[in-house]
Amino acid sequence: MSFRTTPSVDYVEDVRPGSGALPPRAWYAASDARSLSLNGSWRFRLSATAGAEDDSFAEEGYDAGNWAEVTVPGHWVLQGDGAFGSPIYTNHLYPFPVDPPYVPTENPTGDHLRVFDLPHDWPSDGGAVLRFDGVESCARVWLNGTELGEFKGSRLAHEFAVGELLKPGPNVLAVRVHQWSAGSYLEDQDQWWLPGIFRDVTLLHRPAGGAGDFFVHASYDHTIGEGTLRVDSDVDGRVLVAALDIDVATGEPVTVAVEPWTAETPRLYDGVLVTDGERVPLRIGFRTVVLEDGLIKVNGTAVLFKGVNRHEWHPEHGRALDLETMREDVLLMKRHNLNAVRTSHYPPHPAFLDLCDEYGLWVIDECDLETHGFVEQDWRDNPVDDDRWTPALLDRAARMVERDKNHPSVVFWSLGNEAGTGRGLTAMAEWIHARDPERLVHYEGDWNCRDTDVYSRMYAFHDEVDKIGQRLDGGPLRRRELPFIQCEYAHAMGNGPGGLADYQELFEKHERLQGAFVWEWIDHGVRHAELGYAYGGDFGEELHDGNFVCDGLVFPDRTPSPGLIEYKKVIEPVRIEGDGANGTVRVTNKQDFADLSALAFEWSCQVDGETVESGPLAVPALAPGESAEVKLPEPPADGRGGERQWTVRALLADDTAWAAQGHVVAWGQFAVGARPLPTFPATDRPVPDGDRITLGPAGFDARTGALLTIGGVEVSATPRLDVWRAPTDNDDGAEWQSDTRYGTLWRTLGLHRMRHRLVSVEAGDDALTVRTRVAPAAREVGLDTVYRWTSDGERLRLTVSVTPQGDWTVPLPRLGVRFGLAEADRVEWFGGGPGESYPDTGKASMVGRWRSTVDGLQTPYVRPQENGARADVRWVELGGLRIEGDPEFWFTARRWTTEQLDAARHRTDLTAGDTVWVNLDHGQHGIGSQSCGPGPLPRYFLRAEPAEFSFVFSTTG
């Protein structure tokens, strides 16, 4: 009798970080030593459990010809058209029983094989190192049949010495990857669970006398304008910086006059570390980070972070990003005025930090640590407060710090995210402070600031932030003496976030408040043939958190969302304010370090939204914080008496590394006088004619008072009061905010199913008056609504009067009228644009003449919801109609009803009908950030109060 011995997989559930890997060291992409990328096509076999297969696949000569293939870097669940399993999305719940350090027997395990030959000119001397930059979640490695070791720490580099095992070829590299391991308990970040070798695999020649680990210390003394460079190296050598005439031994400091590195002025000096066996390029940025006078200062100046949290994501490749995708992220951030990134919630691919150094972004580099799921059991058994796990925590901290320590962009080390508190975090903080006292330490969960150098919070409401800024928040003395940042705020999920400008006002008002980081950069939609983009639950997950994974400032394809456009405007580095009436503009430099010499300014004058004249505007090269009053030219006299605005723009004067000359950095717009309101003498009277009533150019149903036609334009659904919008993610709110979730309150009241009761149709001497009551079933509250139609013979005016009845305890979603048109495609309007705008998301809305198609008005949120409203509209033309407002209004037009939009779960659920539905809104409720933060501020509530508003209809034919 014979049987196969089950291979030992004890290492999978071992709390220790692994075995066999070399100590962590500085990461660098290239030197004059040879390297060989092992990325590409690998043979792949998937097993259902960790011990389903023995280790024979790692032996030389093993025949894997019948195996499948996957691409490395990559995640196997995103390859093979579903044959290799599916992604799983949870926000914080572990998708397996919480029984640390144990994981389920059902543990998808991917065996990977790569057979390679060394290049013919591969050096025969020295050694070699095999480097893995990222594997989720646990890997065991063999080369040519010899086991090298195993490791955990998915988003961290691990190296193995392999020089004695290499041969010219063929070499057999075998890697067994387990989806679940003890390490999974430390990696409960809000993202997809995606197993695989998702970052680069590289073979590095290590020549005799080659560089090992090194630490570039490059400080800057702002009082004298000099920098001090010292490169500590475990291999003796010399440091050369030609531009600074530096030639100095490693370990020896040298002080010279330099230009400092900042996110606004990212000056890098090219250098080289020369040892007996290797030349390693260096990119040196001189800067000093300190905690001084209760503030975070760089080069002697307090900084204001205008940041974003960034998960690594690609809709097809998951966390396997190429260099150009990373560069696209950085360029988009720079072009939208962001100056900081928190690498949530793990160190990024190191090439991303190279880009931050080059283009200029402050970085909070965060450790690959989150144990959020333990909150479900009040943090009982939390690994960060269990000494058995501390070696793993320290390993993760060391691998982050040692890998990334030579990046000037990194100004904070973050211990991790949402991991509670405990002795392990304290041990990490102590180690980091000792290893790198030249940077600060961050961790949001430490509200007493025992281990951190900054008081950090998530989603603190505006009023609390104001108190913190005034140091009225209480707490331990140490905390009160520290600066404050919001490491997460303004949850960018779906339509929103709202309230950005109100937060920014506080950040600029109080010195202690040093900025914040929007959650987050990108929607994690997975490209899907049938759904467009998939989110949580679309792969049949047992537990999931729906579209909570789609909460970014850019859509999955990296198209900027309206939220990013708004954020760009709110955090402009130049403030442009003025009073168009007196012909002056006040320009303020809001930057921390750079003057305005890189910018050119221009003015333009608009009449009824069209530019009639423009020219350059002379603005001094203001230093940071300085302001100047600048005189505008005399308004052009073109004989037109329409509405006038001044617009002043700040543009890049020359090409930069991140944008071309003429790129708009900031703008301001100011009205010249009041808007002239349309005049409307009501001269025609309603004329009954059987079942119709004629009033000027319009025909009505005599029985119901419904509008049927205006001129030759058919109205397929009459204008009638509408208060419902398809709730946004922020309307629906987070589960833990059950008492103020407006979407839920609206549905409970029945605002999504309002009934319209006709009271009377009255054809008077000068008006057709239709009286109705609009109310939800089962409720006593209602809205008495009167539609008063008048005409001057050519145009038609609708005045809507709304009187609430009953005890309205919740605000309204919207207040306006909705009607249908049989034909409409092109849209033109004079008002806010070019994108959508709501009461607390309207800073980026510029008044002008705009054009679009109906389809182009839609904002493609991954989960369909209210979108596309244009604000401050004076008039709009579509479907042969021109509609003017008194006062200005919001308009929305789409090829589906609000109810269809509300019912859709994906954009592919929306099918264009024969009617274009148009909303003309007198008011909208604010958006807020309640999908994970505060709702709209009270001043953005749309309260149920008496209201009257008018629209004038005419034909354009």
Side-chain angles (χ1 to χ4, degrees):
M1 183 177 66
S2 64
F3 60 90
R4 183 173 69 86
T5 302
T6 302
S8 173
V9 292
D10 291 346
Y11 63 91
V12 173
E13 296 176 333
D14 193 330
V15 299
R16 293 173 296 182
S19 64
L22 295 169
R25 65 184 181 116
W27 192 98
Y28 51 94
S31 73
D32 63 350
R34 291 295 304 274
S35 66
L36 176 65
S37 172
L38 298 179
N39 295 345
S41 181
W42 289 51
R43 289 291 183 176
F44 177 76
R45 175 182 66 187
L46 182 64
S47 302
T49 65
E53 301 287 348
D54 61 25
D55 305 340
S56 60
F57 81 103
E59 298 173 1
E60 297 178 83
Y62 182 88
D63 183 6
N66 64 342
W67 286 21
E69 294 187 30
V70 294
T71 297
V72 172
H75 304 277
W76 70 67
V77 294
L78 295 181
Q79 304 182 57
D81 293 326
F84 305 142
S86 301
I88 299 170
Y89 168 61
T90 61
N91 168 27
H92 74 276
L93 296 175
Y94 290 106
F96 48 80
V98 180
D99 184 22
Y102 304 109
V103 295
T105 301
E106 297 79 18
N107 187 356
T109 295
D111 290 334
H112 299 68
L113 274 179
R114 176 77 153 86
V115 179
F116 64 94
D117 293 334
L118 293 178
H120 71 277
D121 57 349
W122 186 267
S124 58
D125 64 325
V129 165
L130 179 65
R131 183 174 70 205
F132 294 88
D133 283 319
V135 183
E136 183 176 331
S137 75
C138 173
R140 188 179 179 190
V141 186
W142 297 261
L143 181 63
N144 292 330
T146 298
E147 183 174 350
L148 303 179
E150 83 284 339
F151 62 90
K152 307 176 190 76
S154 298
R155 292 113 206 163
L156 298 160
H158 294 82
E159 294 182 329
F160 297 91
V162 297
E164 295 182 355
L165 300 176
L166 286 174
K167 54 187 180 180
N171 292 277
V172 179
L173 175 58
V175 185
R176 173 163 285 170
V177 180
H178 308 283
Q179 175 157 21
W180 310 122
S181 70
S184 301
Y185 285 99
L186 305 180
E187 296 173 3
D188 189 26
Q189 294 98 339
D190 176 10
Q191 60 182 344
W192 294 96
W193 298 90
L194 299 173
I197 306 172
F198 68 94
R199 287 186 186 159
D200 306 289
V201 182
T202 311
L203 183 66
L204 304 168
H205 177 239
R206 302 311 303 136
D213 190 24
F214 57 91
F215 196 161
V216 177
H217 302 270
S219 61
Y220 180 72
D221 187 337
H222 66 281
T223 64
I224 58 176
E226 292 182 341
T228 299
L229 175 66
R230 188 186 81 247
V231 178
D232 295 334
S233 173
D234 58 7
V235 176
D236 290 341
R238 299 198 70 79
V239 178
L240 312 178
V241 186
L244 298 175
D245 198 25
I246 289 177
D247 182 347
V248 65
T250 54
E252 294 185 7
V254 58
T255 300
V256 293
V258 297
E259 299 174 35
W261 189 97
T262 74
E264 295 168 7
T265 56
R267 178 66 163 96
L268 293 173
Y269 290 90
D270 290 325
V272 61
L273 168 62
V274 181
T275 69
D276 287 344
E278 189 175 13
R279 295 173 64 91
V280 180
L282 305 176
R283 303 202 77 188
I284 302 165
F286 291 87
R287 57 106 187 94
T288 294
V289 184
V290 297
L291 186 63
E292 183 179 83
D293 302 324
L295 298 173
I296 305 159
K297 293 185 178 181
V298 180
N299 303 336
T301 297
V303 296
L304 184 62
F305 296 115
K306 304 169 183 178
V308 69
N309 288 272
R310 174 186 176 269
H311 268 299
E312 295 183 303
W313 186 251
H314 187 281
E316 296 172 358
H317 309 304
R319 285 186 287 280
L321 301 189
D322 60 16
L323 179 62
E324 288 313 305
T325 299
M326 291 184 265
R327 188 186 307 276
E328 184 178 358
D329 280 347
V330 171
L331 293 178
L332 279 170
M333 290 175 187
K334 293 291 292 186
R335 290 169 184 166
H336 289 86
N337 295 330
L338 280 77
N339 70 1
V341 179
R342 177 180 174 228
T343 69
S344 54
H345 298 293
Y346 42 83
H349 191 294
F352 179 77
L353 298 179
D354 288 338
L355 296 169
C356 293
D357 295 340
E358 178 182 353
Y359 292 102
L361 289 168
W362 307 115
V363 174
I364 296 180
D365 197 356
E366 192 148 272
C367 194
D368 188 9
L369 173 62
E370 180 165 338
T371 64
H372 199 175
F374 285 90
V375 71
E376 295 294 320
Q377 55 200 55
D378 295 325
W379 300 104
R380 188 175 60 257
D381 298 326
N382 186 8
V384 304
D385 200 28
D386 184 335
D387 291 340
R388 295 175 301 164
W389 294 81
T390 299
L393 304 184
L394 290 173
D395 179 76
R396 289 170 183 248
R399 291 190 179 278
M400 170 183 69
V401 171
E402 302 296 2
R403 193 197 75 167
D404 297 341
K405 58 182 177 280
N406 295 325
H407 290 283
S409 57
V410 176
V411 293
F412 266 98
W413 301 117
S414 181
L415 303 180
N417 183 70
E418 291 177 315
T421 57
R423 291 162 289 176
L425 289 167
T426 298
M428 293 170 69
E430 290 174 348
W431 185 91
I432 293 174
H433 275 123
R435 176 59 175 145
D436 184 18
E438 297 169 355
R439 290 182 175 92
L440 305 179
V441 171
H442 166 271
Y443 178 65
E444 182 271 339
D446 181 16
W447 285 17
N448 289 330
C449 301
R450 178 182 63 181
D451 300 323
T452 64
D453 299 311
V454 62
Y455 178 28
S456 177
R457 290 281 301 279
M458 296 180 183
Y459 308 108
F461 287 21
H462 296 77
D463 55 353
E464 184 183 6
V465 171
D466 192 20
K467 290 181 180 178
I468 292 171
Q470 300 176 67
R471 302 185 186 274
L472 300 177
D473 55 305
L477 175 62
R478 171 169 168 74
R479 189 179 87 183
R480 298 199 305 272
E481 293 176 339
L482 291 178
F484 176 81
I485 63 171
Q486 288 228 68
C487 67
E488 293 181 22
Y489 87 125
H491 199 248
M493 185 176 177
N495 187 333
L500 283 169
D502 306 281
Y503 271 122
Q504 194 65 26
E505 182 180 341
L506 294 172
F507 300 153
E508 296 181 9
K509 176 181 178 182
H510 300 300
E511 183 183 53
R512 186 190 185 191
L513 308 180
Q514 293 200 250
F517 296 76
V518 168
W519 184 266
E520 64 159 304
W521 176 242
I522 188 169
D523 287 344
H524 299 201
V526 177
R527 201 179 303 278
H528 192 283
E530 297 176 1
L531 303 177
Y533 291 110
Y535 50 75
D538 289 333
F539 296 99
E541 300 102 304
E542 178 184 15
L543 297 173
H544 67 85
D545 286 282
N547 68 310
F548 202 70
V549 76
C550 296
D551 46 13
L553 290 172
V554 298
F555 297 127
D557 64 357
R558 285 177 162 75
T559 299
S561 76
L564 181 58
I565 305 303
E566 176 79 356
Y567 196 31
K568 174 185 177 180
K569 174 62 181 168
V570 166
I571 60 174
E572 287 174 334
V574 181
R575 178 78 44 79
I576 302 172
E577 304 167 299
D579 182 351
N582 65 20
T584 62
V585 62
R586 184 174 181 83
V587 178
T588 303
N589 182 358
K590 304 297 292 184
Q591 297 177 109
D592 296 323
F593 298 94
D595 64 22
L596 298 187
S597 59
L599 300 179
F601 291 78
E602 68 175 24
W603 63 270
S604 60
C605 184
Q606 290 80 38
V607 176
D608 289 337
E610 292 187 327
T611 298
V612 296
E613 194 168 341
S614 63
L617 185 67
V619 175
L622 300 169
E626 288 187 344
S627 299
E629 298 283 342
V630 180
K631 183 68 175 175
L632 294 167
E634 291 296 321
D638 67 345
R640 287 192 278 180
E643 181 179 355
R644 293 174 175 250
Q645 282 101 16
W646 288 106
T647 304
V648 175
R649 294 178 174 87
L651 319 169
L652 287 181
D654 298 293
D655 290 347
T656 70
W658 49 270
Q661 180 186 26
H663 168 79
V664 177
V665 173
W667 59 270
Q669 192 173 58
F670 329 103
V672 181
R675 171 200 171 201
L677 294 176
T679 58
F680 193 91
T683 57
D684 273 29
R685 59 180 298 170
V687 179
D689 183 10
D691 60 356
R692 292 175 65 93
I693 295 175
T694 300
L695 177 60
F700 295 83
D701 184 298
R703 182 178 61 86
T704 65
L707 176 67
L708 303 173
T709 60
I710 302 176
V713 178
E714 178 185 350
V715 179
S716 56
T718 189
R720 66 178 189 171
L721 192 74
D722 191 14
V723 299
W724 181 244
R725 71 185 187 196
T728 67
D729 291 312
N730 288 306
D731 289 338
D732 284 339
E735 293 180 1
W736 55 88
Q737 296 167 325
S738 57
D739 58 332
T740 55
R741 297 170 67 189
Y742 296 104
T744 300
L745 294 174
W746 294 337
R747 289 188 195 277
T748 300
L749 185 58
L751 299 189
H752 60 306
R753 48 178 176 76
M754 299 290 275
R755 307 291 179 86
H756 296 252
R757 178 170 64 86
L758 179 64
V759 176
S760 65
V761 178
E762 305 166 7
D765 290 340
D766 60 350
L768 174 65
T769 302
V770 180
R771 302 182 187 276
T772 68
R773 178 176 169 83
V774 182
R779 303 288 177 175
E780 64 178 356
V781 298
L783 300 168
D784 289 351
T785 307
V786 178
Y787 308 91
R788 188 172 189 273
W789 297 94
T790 56
S791 176
D792 64 357
E794 296 183 354
R795 298 176 295 166
L796 184 70
R797 182 183 181 101
L798 167 63
T799 298
V800 182
S801 301
V802 180
T803 305
Q805 300 294 333
D807 184 15
W808 285 86
T809 59
V810 299
L812 298 173
R814 71 177 347 133
L815 181 67
V817 296
R818 177 172 68 167
F819 66 99
L821 293 174
E823 299 283 343
D825 183 27
R826 304 297 303 180
V827 184
E828 182 173 355
W829 73 98
F830 173 30
E836 72 182 26
S837 174
Y838 292 84
D840 54 348
T841 68
K843 294 298 181 181
S845 181
M846 178 183 288
V847 174
R849 288 275 288 272
W850 308 103
R851 296 172 179 83
S852 176
T853 62
V854 169
D855 293 339
L857 293 173
Q858 314 310 308
T859 303
Y861 295 115
V862 174
R863 185 190 75 80
Q865 56 197 271
E866 166 60 34
N867 74 91
R870 270 57 179 182
D872 302 316
V873 175
R874 282 72 164 155
W875 56 257
V876 59
E877 294 181 354
L878 77 166
L881 289 182
R882 178 184 175 96
I883 306 163
E884 299 176 75
D886 181 11
E888 294 88 352
F889 59 98
W890 279 270
F891 93 87
T892 309
R894 52 177 68 105
R895 299 186 186 277
W896 36 79
T897 65
T898 301
E899 291 73 21
Q900 290 168 328
L901 182 64
D902 188 13
R905 306 269 61 84
H906 296 86
R907 286 189 56 77
T908 51
D909 296 333
L910 294 169
T911 302
D914 296 331
T915 299
V916 171
W917 295 94
V918 182
N919 278 88
L920 310 176
D921 290 318
H922 176 64
Q924 283 269 358
H925 187 63
I927 296 296
S929 187
Q930 202 172 15
S931 52
C932 195
L937 289 169
R939 60 177 167 273
Y940 302 119
F941 284 15
L942 178 59
R943 302 187 187 279
E945 297 173 338
E948 184 173 284
F949 47 93
S950 298
F951 304 101
V952 175
F953 297 82
S954 58
T955 57
T956 59

